Amino acid sequence: MSAPVKSEESGSIWSILNVLIAVTLGGLVLFWAGAFLTGVVSQTTGSTEAEAETAASAPATSAAPAASAATPSAPAAAATAPAVPAPTGEVIEITIKPDLTNPLAYDTKEFTVKAGAKVKLTFNNVHPTVPQPHNIVIGALGSKDKLMGLAMQMATDPAGMAKGFIPEAPEVLFHTKLLQPNQSEVLEFTAPAAGDYPYLCTFPGHAVLMNGVMKVQ
């Protein structure tokens, strides 16, 4: 009868061991599951806190442009146009003609006037051997190349002749009409501020040689 007792005791021991193993494994599973969930919660919390911090800092960043917009910086100094010189009462008379040696050039390549002086420029389009239509166009400072280009463009403009080949541009300060051979015109104006002002004939092809400089002091 002792053998059955041992068998029952052995079975009881294995049952206890199985329960202990099951409890241990269950505890490990619960531990790892808890650790996993804790990590997930921690990551979620950290992400939420980071997003909250980003959201909290975003308005402060976006508010900076608004603040700067509310207090605009001082405007840049506006470009000042050259002052128009006061009339001096002085009258300067100049006469220009086509050059006798080179009929496609002016006989006067340069002349000097004082700022504010009244200028009476007479252009006599008279040449004994090579009569050509000419004009005189006085341009703004540094406008020679642009006026030459505009004059060449007008060569293909059907209305160019009717306009006397005078470019319609703000760079044109003073001009005569297009004078036919043996015609003349007196151009009157007040000399502008000091500088070198180009003058040229804007009949197509003439300006390359037919040009000069009005020096204003």
Side-chain angles (χ1 to χ4, degrees):
M1 298 297 292
S2 60
V5 172
K6 290 180 180 180
S7 177
E8 289 177 1
E9 291 177 353
S10 175
S12 299
I13 292 171
W14 280 111
S15 297
I16 294 171
L17 289 175
N18 287 332
V19 170
L20 292 174
I21 292 171
V23 170
T24 302
L25 291 175
L28 290 174
V29 170
L30 289 175
F31 172 79
W32 287 112
F36 176 77
L37 290 176
T38 302
V40 171
V41 171
S42 176
Q43 290 179 355
T44 304
T45 304
S47 175
T48 304
E49 290 177 353
E51 291 177 357
E53 291 178 0
T54 303
S57 61
T61 304
S62 60
S68 61
T71 56
S73 58
T80 56
V84 177
T88 63
E90 182 180 4
V91 178
I92 300 175
E93 297 189 19
I94 299 164
T95 299
I96 298 178
K97 298 178 292 185
D99 190 275
L100 290 176
T101 304
N102 184 356
L104 292 182
Y106 295 122
D107 67 344
T108 302
K109 313 300 190 296
E110 179 182 307
F111 64 90
T112 302
V113 297
K114 292 183 179 180
K118 183 176 181 180
V119 180
K120 295 180 68 174
L121 191 160
T122 300
F123 179 43
N124 288 330
N125 186 22
V126 177
H127 195 279
T129 57
V130 186
Q132 290 282 318
H134 297 300
N135 62 23
I136 288 184
V137 174
I138 300 177
L141 299 173
S143 63
K144 178 181 175 180
D145 291 341
K146 181 175 182 179
L147 292 178
M148 288 176 65
L150 293 174
M152 291 304 298
Q153 290 178 15
M154 296 185 75
T156 58
D157 182 1
M161 178 64 77
K163 296 176 182 178
F165 295 104
I166 307 297
E168 295 180 346
E171 287 80 8
V172 175
L173 301 182
F174 319 106
H175 66 86
T176 67
K177 64 183 180 181
L178 182 68
L179 300 177
Q180 297 303 318
N182 300 316
Q183 289 184 335
S184 66
E185 182 179 346
V186 178
L187 187 60
E188 298 187 23
F189 58 91
T190 299
D196 293 345
Y197 296 81
Y199 62 89
L200 59 158
C201 175
T202 55
F203 189 88
H206 288 192
V208 176
L209 297 176
M210 204 166 199
N211 61 76
V213 178
M214 178 180 71
K215 290 183 172 293
V216 182
Q217 298 178 344

